[in-house]
Amino acid sequence: MATIGHSNINAKLVLLGDMGAGKSSLVLRFVKGQFLEFQESTIGAAFFSQTLAVNDATVKFEIWDTAGQERYHSLAPMYYRGAAAAIIVYDMTNAGSFARAKKWVQELQKQGNPNMVMALAGNKVDLEEKRSVSAEEARSYAEENGLFFMETSAKTATNVNDIFYEIAKRLPRAQPPQNPAGMVLVDRPTEAARASTCCS
Amino acid sequence: MDEEYDVIVLGTGLKECILSGLLSVDGLKVLHMDRNDYYGGESASLNLNQLWKRFRGNDQPPAHLGSSRDYNVDMMPKFMMANGTLVRVLIHTDVTKYLYFKAVDGSYVYNKGKIHKVPATDMEALKSPLMGLFEKRRAGKFFMYVQNYEESDPKTHQGMDLTRVTTRDLISKYGLDDNTVDFIGHAVALHRDDHYLNEPALDTVMRMKLYSESVARFQGGSPYIYPLYGLGELPQAFARLSAVYGGTYMLNKPECKVEFDEEGKVRGVTSEGETAQCKKVVCDPSYLPNKVRKVGKVARAICIMSHPIPNTNDSHSVQIILPQKQLGRKSDMYVFCCSYSHNVAPKGKFIAFVSTEAETDNPQSELKPGIDVLGPVDELFFDTYDRYEPVNEPSLDNCFISTSYDATTHFESTVTDVLNMYTMITGKAVDLSVDLSAASAAEE
Ligand SMILES: Cc1cc2nc3c(=O)[nH]c(=O)nc-3n(C[C@H](O)[C@H](O)[C@H](O)COP(=O)(O)OP(=O)(O)OC[C@H]3O[C@@H](n4cnc5c(N)ncnc54)[C@H](O)[C@@H]3O)c2cc1C
Ligand SMILES: Nc1nc2c(ncn2[C@@H]2O[C@H](COP(=O)(O)OP(=O)(O)O)[C@@H](O)[C@H]2O)c(=O)[nH]1
Ligand SMILES: [Mg+2]
């Protein structure tokens, strides 16, 4: 949930889409500026944070990658609970992955959070010669469903920062604080009890 | 699926998910399957439609109860001790970053037909209406002894070796009456029966310390915390941990038949005609019904209400323990109540559970004293489930089966089972001091 504090916004952002569409690669490009041709699912890395400054606010994204649980359709509902933003990724060289991206959009619409900012990313735009989903088709689908659309390449970095930046701009600036926020547990000794009830 | 794994875990209940997470973090190759298409197995949280489907068949939930998806009704309701072992496991696996918690408002005990706040310290004991004037002072002294007790500092032992002195002898030194002993033993030390009285007192003293230190940790009215959106979040969070460390997840896998070789050792698991090979299987009792026996039955009532439980100082979340003796029973009864303040129900609604080990052929009526403390309820569902424990020899068949969840409304027995299983599987104790913060590749 996006929360406000001194014009700082914390926003949970989730990536959804077919295995192989390039979700992890987009995160890696955005967070670390890297691209790996044979990106193996990186063990231990499924939670990143990255801060972006937009005109009037500093947005700290907590980015959740799927940890491979999408592979056998076993993603847990907690994954997208409370997400302020989602990037639904398809591989523009693979029409099936576009069809399944639409299912994710439906699922997210069902799950609620009407304020969620949703982006549709047609990834691997560097492979233009293998294109099988046209930009027009994707764009009109996105418009009809209230998403914004960009074609990206994690390989060449095309539109990668842009898509996160655009999300940051669109995040609602004044979201009602969630019904009394819970606490995140941290490892502190009992003596520091007060401090450990740090609130999100 | 035709690959070879170190461990295949069957069922995504909390225990199985914690084990899956710990084993993946250890570097083992884990495949985790569930026959259901959702996480949590017997410890899932249900929305209102799912709750109705389970207990009311084809009926629709009435509109006045609000939106189905505002409900997260635990099928295995339990609170977590703020300083307890589960919290340590959560922190050391860094699973905490997926979860938000809130303190539980109240911890109460049923005594002579009334409910009272459970005193946790000498100061609270002195104020508690649970005891008469002189008893309060005696109890205060006993609490003081427990608070000051440090295992490593003999000066605090007052000449008693608590690994030898029984709880009964320790308590009789302070001259406490049976009523006081009852609430201390069952509502503070969380013993489920009275065996502890004849056991070395150290265990009880450490449990009492855990209780009061947990109360102190968040300055709430109880030693307990509970996740927003219900306990169903916990198995999902540990499953995510396991996946982050390379575990493979497959829900909605029918059958999940465990295969054995000629020597009776586990060989793999078959589902939908494919067999995944493995060295070990970890599962809940429902996946290996021939290797478990029934050890009891839990009876419970699940209630939806529009008010907090009376006489709990308007607690929006509360545990009430009804000690066996107070009810003339062999086992304690537990009341668990949670509400919209933990995001498990829509605004104004409360979910209460009354549970106990069934002792008769009419478990519904056994629950009456617990249900009576709730006041009027909007809806009430009765349920019973059998409890199983493994009877196999894991060293012979490499099958590690969890014990069914008990009727308690806290986690201490659950985590003990998990940690014992981990030790059996890996031959080592969980190192709760390992730093796994690498799981979070955050820049700060
Ligand atoms: C985001 C999402 C979450 C879902 N969660 C559940 C659930 O918790 N319980 C349930 O019973 N049904 C869930 N479903 C629906 C159910 O899994 C599908 O209807 C079922 O898999 C039918 O598959 P299919 O052959 O039509 O499409 P498939 O080709 O099997 O799947 C279509 C796309 O949806 C995704 N997907 C499908 N199922 C899931 C899933 N369970 N979790 C994550 N991604 C999934 C896949 O990654 C795939 O890209 C979910 C669907 C989606 C899109
Ligand atoms: N050519 C090209 N390959 C990409 C791009 N993004 C990802 N890949 C490759 O696609 C494969 C799958 O990417 P990955 O990020 O693991 O996908 P995920 O399963 O959605 O997380 C990897 O081999 C990546 O190197 C891209 O923009 N262009
Ligand atoms: Mg990935």
Side-chain angles (χ1 to χ4, degrees), chain A residues 20 23-25 39 41 65-68 70:
Chain A
K23 299 180 292 299
S24 303
S25 300
Q39 157 87 11
S41 57
D65 195 2
T66 57
E70 81 279 28

Side-chain angles (χ1 to χ4, degrees), chain A residues 44 46 65 74 78 178 183, chain B residues 39 101 229 233 236 240 244:
Chain A
D65 195 2
S74 302
M78 96 174 302
Q178 216 186 357
M183 60 203 172
Chain B
Y39 281 91
F101 291 90
Y229 304 106
E233 297 296 282
Q236 295 179 42
R240 181 164 165 82
V244 165

Side-chain angles (χ1 to χ4, degrees), chain B residues 358-371:
Chain B
E359 294 175 0
T360 69
D361 293 336
N362 188 359
Q364 273 201 19
S365 62
E366 289 181 53
L367 294 169
K368 187 169 183 311
I371 293 172

Side-chain angles (χ1 to χ4, degrees), chain A residues 99-154:
Chain A
R100 285 183 292 273
K102 294 179 181 173
K103 284 203 180 177
W104 283 107
V105 173
Q106 279 170 9
E107 175 70 17
L108 287 175
Q109 286 166 340
K110 243 187 8 222
Q111 294 292 323
N113 185 9
N115 292 326
M116 189 190 288
V117 177
M118 288 196 277
L120 180 66
N123 191 38
K124 307 199 187 177
V125 70
D126 57 290
L127 301 175
E128 182 59 52
E129 71 286 359
K130 295 195 194 152
R131 175 188 287 276
S132 62
V133 180
S134 76
E136 294 73 50
E137 185 189 354
R139 177 166 295 110
S140 71
Y141 168 78
E143 276 167 14
E144 282 160 29
N145 288 277
L147 287 78
F148 77 87
F149 170 67
M150 282 188 189
E151 289 195 321
T152 58
S153 168

